[in-house]
Amino acid sequence: MIQDQRRPPVLDMTPDGGFREAPRPPVGATWLDRALMKVGGVAVLAALIAGGLVLAASAVVILGLLIPVLLVAGAVGFGSLWWRVRRARRSGGAVFVVSRR
């Protein structure tokens, strides 16, 4: 079976059973229309690239803000463990206790 690649014609009828006029095909694109189409496509591509870069930069800034939090939390955790080990050694107790089941 051979398929026709063309679209079938659209028959637009009025309520009284008459046919409407077919829409006129657009006038051929001028050189300005083609140039604006290309410039618009490049502008959309540039906007997408810029949006991606803004997203990446935002991620870097957020990670940069989290680095001091990481350092302070690590220092507090290290200080807490160091203090507990120091107190355990002074009292002669066990430094680390591992329970096995």
Side-chain angles (χ1 to χ4, degrees):
M1 179 163 103
I2 298 174
Q3 298 225 351
D4 191 11
Q5 297 298 325
R6 294 180 294 158
R7 290 188 285 170
V10 176
L11 299 177
D12 192 9
M13 294 184 75
T14 61
D16 62 349
F19 290 100
R20 292 194 177 136
E21 292 286 328
R24 292 184 179 161
V27 179
T30 64
W31 66 271
L32 182 60
D33 291 332
R34 289 190 299 270
L36 288 176
M37 180 87 69
K38 288 183 182 181
V39 169
V42 170
V44 168
L45 182 63
L48 288 174
I49 291 172
L53 289 175
V54 166
L55 187 65
S58 299
V60 168
V61 167
I62 289 171
L63 288 176
L65 292 174
L66 289 177
I67 288 175
V69 173
L70 174 75
L71 293 176
V72 169
V76 168
F78 174 78
S80 172
L81 286 174
W82 177 79
W83 185 257
R84 287 182 183 198
V85 167
R86 184 172 169 235
R87 284 182 53 200
R89 284 187 180 156
R90 276 190 183 170
S91 66
V95 176
F96 291 102
V97 177
V98 178
S99 63
R100 296 184 184 181
R101 292 185 180 189

